[in-house]
Amino acid sequence: MTKILVTGALGQIGSELAEKLAQIYGSENVLITDIREPEQNHLDIPYQKLDVNDEQAIKDIVINNQITEVYHLAAMLSATAEKYPIQGWNLNTNSLLTFLELAKDKKLSKIFWPSSIAVFGRGAAADMTPQEEVTNPLSMYGVAKVAGEGFCEIYHQKYGVDVRSIRYPGLISWKTLPGGGTTDYAVDIYYKALEDKKYESFIGEGTALPMMYMDDAIRATIELMQAPKEDLTIHTAYNLQGITFTPEEIAAEIKKHISDFEISYAPDYRQAIADSWPNSIDDTQAQKDWNWKPEFDLDSMTVEMLKHLKSKLQINV
Ligand code: NAD
Ligand code: SER
């Protein structure tokens, strides 16, 4: 019997991933947790408060609920971690080790923990960054993700722990706002296009970044977790490519739907983080090992984002 724990479940990814997991495994077999209280548990999935900095609380919740699988999403994202590096490092590394130790002790059978394109930095190829590439991250967040990938590899090789990971690109979604990342501009822009018909981008013109629509990211996560263990060859984290675009390219796409939309630029401290990240990612290994294929491009994602946000914000344009 699969019993799933989701940490950071009220966040941008967790709120959508938990819903999908509940559809697949049944709400009674999913336990959502977060340091925050839900405003409303519209998903009708059992919730418990959990601060993943509390090692004993993690152990208790896993044992008391006979959890078998964990989707460990609680984290501090890149822009916030740049402001609070020590807290970011502690949150983004220690809790992963606690879950890996539980799996080593056979208290968990499978773990999903997300890495990020933020692992790549100085010296890494910017275009079609290969799976096996130097990392050298230039953000504290990226440093913690590289460490996390190392933990995953070691616990897999030494102790046989089944831990699976993806280097998510920047994720774009309409249901839950993103929580302090560098790629958040590509979500903000849709809200501002509908609300104000103008957007001041904190990422500068010409900055290409790897991005992905949330539906593709959720599907990738489920497909990776359901893939036969013996087919998986990457035990750090899989590269994953979705859509690459610059701020002016996403603006041009939005303009096709909102003709008087205008973008301007005021890059801030997040520009340096974005400049250190790849433009695009080579995900050949994910394609080979678990048949990964994205469905959304910039055009279809924009249609979906504007359609859903218009209805959510009750805006007619
Ligand atoms: P998010 O910021 O939207 O959500 C994180 C959640 O963790 C929040 O609900 C927050 O309340 C919770 N949290 C914070 N501190 C906690 C604590 N001490 N204990 C328990 N919960 C705590 O983040 P997200 O975008 O959903 O990201 C989830 C994971 O995916 C992270 O590991 C992130 O690094 C990774 N990732 C996200 C993206 C993206 O674009 N969203 C890209 C790459 C990787
Ligand atoms: N979207 C994430 C961020 O900007 C990438 O990991 O932090």
Side-chain angles (χ1 to χ4, degrees):
M1 164 77 100
T2 304
K3 279 283 266 182
I4 294 173
L5 176 75
V6 184
T7 72
L10 302 182
Q12 190 196 8
I13 300 173
S15 54
E16 299 204 33
L17 183 59
E19 191 175 359
K20 191 74 195 168
L21 291 170
Q23 281 166 13
I24 298 170
Y25 297 97
S27 319
E28 68 283 8
N29 295 316
V30 179
L31 177 59
I32 58 172
T33 66
D34 203 289
I35 197 167
R36 294 182 279 148
E37 299 279 352
E39 281 165 25
Q40 52 181 52
N41 191 349
H42 64 283
L43 298 178
D44 205 21
I45 304 171
Y47 161 86
Q48 278 186 42
K49 190 168 183 167
L50 174 67
D51 177 354
V52 298
N53 286 319
D54 185 339
E55 187 182 335
Q56 192 55 48
I58 290 181
K59 289 179 178 166
D60 290 346
I61 213 164
V62 167
I63 306 296
N64 295 342
N65 294 282
Q66 285 127 30
I67 298 295
T68 59
E69 295 186 11
V70 170
Y71 290 74
H72 179 31
L73 307 177
M76 190 183 287
L77 274 82
S78 60
T80 314
E82 226 41 31
K83 288 187 178 162
Y84 306 102
I86 308 297
Q87 293 93 323
W89 167 264
N90 287 336
L91 173 59
N92 293 349
T93 55
N94 292 342
S95 50
L96 172 60
L97 280 172
T98 306
F99 284 116
L100 289 169
E101 278 289 308
L102 282 164
K104 176 184 150 196
D105 294 341
K106 310 284 180 228
K107 303 283 192 292
L108 287 171
S109 58
K110 217 189 262 186
I111 298 173
F112 176 79
W113 168 81
S115 186
S116 163
I117 52 161
V119 294
F120 297 115
R122 180 174 40 80
D127 294 312
M128 295 297 280
T129 312
Q131 175 70 48
E132 301 294 347
E133 175 61 306
V134 294
T135 48
N136 295 330
L138 295 175
S139 66
M140 198 63 185
Y141 173 75
V143 169
K145 289 296 187 191
V146 170
E149 288 192 7
F151 302 159
C152 293
E153 174 111 70
I154 284 172
Y155 274 74
H156 169 76
Q157 302 294 358
K158 285 185 75 173
Y159 310 118
V161 167
D162 188 356
V163 52
R164 306 179 182 199
S165 182
I166 286 172
R167 292 171 178 152
Y168 285 135
L171 301 183
I172 296 168
S173 62
W174 58 269
K175 284 189 184 165
T176 306
L177 284 168
T182 301
T183 56
D184 296 9
Y185 95 85
V187 178
D188 297 347
I189 195 169
Y190 286 109
Y191 280 84
K192 292 290 186 318
L194 286 168
E195 286 169 340
D196 304 334
K197 299 195 176 176
K198 58 179 192 250
Y199 180 63
E200 186 177 85
S201 174
F202 60 78
I203 295 299
E205 206 170 354
T207 310
L209 285 168
M211 303 279 190
M212 180 175 285
Y213 190 49
M214 186 62 84
D215 291 29
D216 273 340
I218 300 297
R219 187 171 51 79
T221 307
I222 305 280
E223 285 176 4
L224 174 62
M225 284 297 271
Q226 292 184 341
K229 194 176 170 185
E230 55 281 9
D231 291 352
L232 303 180
T233 59
I234 301 297
H235 302 288
T236 49
Y238 278 94
N239 271 8
L240 207 66
Q241 170 68 13
I243 317 164
T244 283
F245 56 80
T246 60
E248 62 273 23
E249 284 167 343
I250 189 174
E253 200 59 44
I254 291 172
K255 239 173 147 26
K256 289 182 188 167
H257 304 268
I258 305 170
S259 57
D260 47 353
F261 172 64
E262 294 295 339
I263 187 169
S264 57
Y265 301 92
D268 63 15
Y269 69 99
R270 290 167 281 195
Q271 183 65 40
I273 302 176
D275 285 341
S276 74
W277 289 354
N279 305 329
S280 59
I281 298 288
D282 178 355
D283 63 7
T284 308
Q285 203 59 46
Q287 295 172 36
K288 275 189 193 154
D289 289 4
W290 42 282
N291 298 318
W292 164 246
K293 198 173 183 300
E295 282 176 3
F296 286 86
D297 58 15
L298 182 55
D299 180 343
S300 53
M301 177 178 77
T302 299
V303 169
E304 286 289 299
M305 284 295 287
L306 293 176
K307 179 181 79 184
H308 288 295
L309 283 179
K310 264 187 215 171
S311 147
K312 181 179 171 183
L313 303 171
Q314 297 182 325
I315 288 176
N316 285 317
V317 281

